[in-house]
Amino acid sequence: MRVARNERRLPKQIKREPFDLPLPLTQLSIARVATNCALSLLLLTNPPAAQLLGGQVARAAPNLFTPTPNPSEYQLLAAEAWKLVDRNYADRTFAGQDWFETRQKLVKKNYDSSTDVYNEISKMLETLGDKYTRFLTPAKYKAVFAVATGDVAGIGVELAAKDVDADGKPLKQPLVVISSIVDNGPADKAGLLPGDVLESADGADLRGLEPEEAAAKVRGAPGSKIRLEVTRRGAEDVPPMIITRGKVKLEAVTSSIGSIDGSKVGLVRLKQFSTETAADMKAALRGLSSGGVTSFVIDLRGNTGGYFPGGVDVARLFLPKGSLITYTVDKTGATTAYEVYEDGEYVTSPVALLVDDKTASASEVLSGALHDNKRATLIGRNTFGKAVIQTVEELQDGSAVVVTIARYETPVSRSNINGRGIEVDVPVDCPLSTIPLAKAVSQCVPRSAL
């Protein structure tokens, strides 16, 4: 496979990525990638309180509203949520509404309970028309945080929302489905499968819940038991399962050696991006290379994203010096370019990427970078199309707001793939639920792709 060399000079108005990353984990904010409601994570540095606008520091907005005398704790919470969105949100028109008038109405309203103020904050965010900017109750935020640590007590599954049927028609009530299962975890040993629909947990109905809410009900103390009822496509009746919870380490990167037409090929399954993914990926690739592997198939099916710089750093392993990886555009319109500063360790290794309609966010950063730079063949189904970045800001009571802070573009074509996805080179139906990576190599990946 020919390696494209990109020695570009960036326009003066485009800045290069900062070099003060990564920060210690305690200085990172846990950001939710709300792609198809799947539980994946994005760790981003907190954006600075002041942003540069045309060389000037943006000051706090003038006090255009009358302070509420002796505000209640709920009114203060509402004001805090508004302020965080006001400071960070990428669309400075706020969907064309009078954003200060929105604040006035929000903080002057009387609230009788946390539920009341939570509902009002949610309604405020809905007016922005951005499905990725939303409110998290304390329970939802804890669920996101637990997954972010990669070390949780539960049954070893990742959950996603399903809101359409097999024919693409909207369901009357969204369902919670298992998107992936941790190998040798409690769920795997009990016989649960990707695609199973969770109906109830210990008698509590899970239908209509969001994945985070369902996850909170499924998690529990290590050693405790939970009774799950599931439905499975093609099976008339699946008996209830009694599963013992345990500590589950979410392995983001797994690898093995396979073959295509008798030639060795390295197989890497990349489930999500975290602060450790690039290092784990490098270790996996080196291990495969020591086994005589010179080409790789990377499975990104079902990978809804995660830590944005993780996608950038994995791309660097395969790209030559001077290649562009992606661009981000923030709320001020400032563009930042992410580049490769030295040849990647696997710059000459043939690469194929398995993707599907759940491949999103940081996964699309990686896919777009390798595809645009002609370093990888994309196989499967067109990707999801999530080219916006969120941060999560915790509120004083343990709830949080998820706010879109930027968008990104593919490196060469400068395409905005949001809502459209990346088109594959080799269209093939290769569902993760029925064709694991070991089988996909022979059933989905043509030899010509490597």
Side-chain angles (χ1 to χ4, degrees):
M1 178 178 291
R2 184 177 67 86
V3 177
R5 300 241 168 212
N6 297 306
E7 300 291 344
R8 293 186 179 85
R9 289 178 178 266
L10 295 176
K12 291 183 179 180
Q13 66 270 27
I14 297 179
K15 61 183 180 179
R16 286 181 166 84
E17 66 184 292
F19 286 93
D20 57 349
L21 297 176
L23 295 175
L25 184 59
T26 54
Q27 298 182 40
L28 293 172
S29 64
I30 297 175
R32 172 73 156 77
V33 182
T35 303
N36 204 26
C37 297
L39 290 178
S40 61
L41 303 167
L42 177 62
L43 296 171
L44 291 171
T45 55
N46 285 318
Q51 299 285 341
L52 291 177
L53 292 170
Q56 300 296 318
V57 176
R59 303 294 181 185
N63 187 7
L64 301 179
F65 36 78
T66 304
T68 301
N70 301 317
S72 70
E73 61 177 312
Y74 299 134
Q75 289 172 322
L76 290 173
L77 187 70
E80 183 186 13
W82 179 92
K83 181 179 180 180
L84 290 172
V85 177
D86 177 65
R87 186 177 72 188
N88 295 319
Y89 193 52
D91 176 10
R92 304 315 293 169
T93 71
F94 296 94
Q97 64 184 294
D98 187 330
W99 190 238
F100 290 102
E101 182 180 347
T102 298
R103 182 196 183 279
Q104 288 288 73
K105 294 178 180 178
L106 190 71
V107 300
K108 286 186 175 182
K109 188 169 184 176
N110 293 320
Y111 304 101
D112 295 326
S113 67
S114 58
T115 300
D116 287 344
V117 70
Y118 290 169
N119 289 337
E120 204 62 30
I121 293 172
S122 295
K123 290 178 183 178
M124 173 189 73
L125 299 181
E126 287 173 1
T127 65
L128 297 173
D130 175 7
K131 64 181 179 181
Y132 300 117
T133 294
R134 64 197 192 96
F135 177 75
L136 299 179
T137 64
K140 292 180 184 178
Y141 180 66
K142 286 179 181 178
V144 171
F145 187 89
V147 178
T149 63
D151 192 8
V152 298
I155 62 172
V157 298
E158 292 181 79
L159 305 178
K162 180 179 180 180
D163 51 15
V164 295
D165 61 20
D167 298 322
K169 297 179 180 179
L171 295 171
K172 293 182 179 180
Q173 188 178 50
L175 303 175
V176 177
V177 300
I178 296 175
S179 59
S180 65
I181 296 178
V182 176
D183 291 340
N184 297 317
D188 187 25
K189 294 176 181 177
L192 286 173
L193 299 175
D196 284 352
V197 177
L198 294 187
E199 299 289 345
S200 69
D202 284 338
D205 191 0
L206 301 180
R207 289 171 296 184
L209 297 185
E210 293 188 18
E212 301 96 329
E213 295 172 309
K217 293 182 180 295
V218 171
R219 292 194 183 100
S224 62
K225 296 182 183 297
I226 183 170
R227 183 180 187 272
L228 289 180
E229 292 185 358
V230 305
T231 54
R232 181 175 299 162
R233 187 176 182 180
E236 293 185 3
D237 186 24
V238 180
M241 299 181 183
I242 306 297
I243 303 176
T244 301
R245 297 182 180 97
K247 280 285 185 180
V248 180
K249 188 67 177 179
L250 301 177
E251 297 289 346
V253 179
T254 56
S255 62
S256 61
I257 296 178
S259 66
I260 298 180
D261 295 338
S263 299
K264 283 186 177 181
V265 60
L267 310 179
V268 183
R269 172 88 177 109
L270 212 168
K271 293 183 178 180
Q272 66 181 31
F273 290 88
S274 72
T275 55
E276 304 298 323
T277 300
D280 291 344
M281 188 73 173
K282 185 179 293 186
L285 294 173
R286 286 178 176 174
L288 292 170
S289 296
S290 67
V293 167
T294 58
S295 59
F296 302 97
V297 175
I298 301 173
D299 189 358
L300 295 173
R301 292 174 299 168
N303 185 330
T304 55
Y307 181 51
F308 173 81
V312 171
D313 289 339
V314 171
R316 286 191 169 115
L317 296 173
F318 299 98
L319 293 173
K321 179 181 178 180
S323 300
L324 289 169
I325 299 170
T326 190
Y327 293 93
T328 60
V329 184
D330 68 12
K331 66 179 183 180
T332 71
T335 300
T336 301
Y338 291 77
E339 300 176 79
V340 180
Y341 300 102
E342 60 181 8
D343 283 349
E345 192 169 342
Y346 302 93
V347 70
T348 60
S349 299
V351 182
L353 301 181
L354 276 173
V355 298
D356 63 10
D357 56 0
K358 293 182 176 61
T359 301
S361 194
S363 292
E364 290 176 298
V365 171
L366 173 59
S367 300
L370 299 191
H371 189 254
D372 263 25
N373 285 287
K374 303 186 186 305
R375 279 293 291 119
T377 301
L378 267 57
I379 302 168
R381 300 175 66 181
N382 293 352
T383 64
F384 179 80
K386 181 183 183 293
V388 287
I389 303 170
Q390 285 73 42
T391 186
V392 166
E393 296 281 359
E394 185 178 9
L395 303 180
Q396 60 187 353
D397 74 334
S399 59
V401 286
V402 186
V403 186
T404 295
I405 60 172
R407 62 180 172 85
Y408 67 82
E409 300 172 346
T410 56
V412 179
S413 60
R414 295 297 302 268
S415 298
N416 179 2
I417 63 166
N418 201 50
R420 300 199 303 268
I422 303 173
E423 188 174 342
V424 296
D425 300 303
V426 182
V428 61
D429 190 20
C430 194
L432 178 62
S433 59
T434 58
I435 307 178
L437 179 54
K439 292 183 179 180
V441 173
S442 60
Q443 297 184 27
C444 307
V445 181
R447 185 69 184 92
S448 59
L450 293 171

